[in-house]
């Protein structure tokens, strides 16, 4: 019982009290903005932005993909994200292939950018004994 009270107190302090709530909101907004920036750069590079209106549509669709990706049934959203893209893009009047390609590109870009972290997993610090 003491553990539950201490946990509740610590969670409230870390998430809901000032200045932690401000830090949480700003850092969370920054993370979402960076995810949307990756999608936007991929869409721009693939030539999917035919007009300024398309940028707003793609940003909206990619925001929905980020929400779907958070469903904890896959690893890093693979599969669910692509399935959602195949359903959402035709609803916006665009080809499903475009959404799936953008979704796969996002997954590959994030995977490739995280690969340098593997070096820290497989290297050990040598002890000076």
């Amino acid at each position: 019982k003491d553990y539950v009270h201490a946990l509740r107190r610590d969670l409230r302090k870390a998430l809901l009290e000032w200045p932690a709530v401000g830090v949480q909101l700003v850092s969370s907004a920054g993370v979402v903005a960076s995810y949307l920036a990756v999608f936007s750069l991929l869409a721009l590079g693939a030539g999917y932005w035919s007009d300024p209106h398309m940028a707003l549509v793609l940003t909206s669709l990619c925001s929905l993909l980020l929400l779907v990706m958070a469903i904890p049934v896959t690893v890093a959203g693979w599969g669910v994200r692509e399935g959602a893209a195949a359903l959402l893009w035709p609803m916006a009047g665009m080809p499903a292939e475009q959404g799936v390609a953008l979704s796969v590109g996002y997954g590959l870009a994030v995977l490739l950018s995280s690969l340098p972290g593997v070096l820290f997993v497989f290297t050990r610090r040598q002890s000076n004994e």
Side-chain angles (χ1 to χ4, degrees):
K1 187 171 181 168
D2 288 333
Y3 173 76
V4 173
H5 289 294
L7 178 63
R8 186 179 302 153
R9 182 193 68 233
D10 291 343
L11 286 173
R12 188 179 326 106
K13 185 186 279 187
L15 299 174
L16 301 175
E17 291 183 7
W18 189 257
V21 69
V23 172
Q24 292 289 345
L25 289 173
V26 169
S27 62
S28 295
V31 169
V32 171
S34 71
Y35 289 169
L36 288 174
V38 171
F39 270 118
S40 298
L41 288 173
L42 288 169
L44 184 65
Y48 293 155
W49 286 10
S50 55
D51 60 23
H53 172 71
M54 187 59 67
L56 182 61
V57 171
L58 284 173
T59 303
S60 300
L61 290 173
C62 292
S63 298
L64 292 172
L65 288 183
L66 288 175
L67 286 172
V68 169
M69 202 171 85
I71 298 171
V73 294
T74 65
V75 175
W78 283 99
V80 174
R81 182 180 55 236
E82 288 74 25
L87 292 173
L88 289 172
W89 258 249
M91 289 181 187
M94 295 183 290
E97 300 83 18
Q98 181 184 25
V100 173
L102 187 59
S103 181
V104 169
Y106 172 83
L108 290 174
V110 171
L111 176 67
L112 290 175
S113 67
S114 64
L115 282 180
V118 172
L119 295 174
F120 294 101
V121 173
F122 292 113
T123 59
R124 287 188 262 198
R125 183 181 282 192
Q126 298 291 330
S127 87
N128 294 329
E129 293 179 20

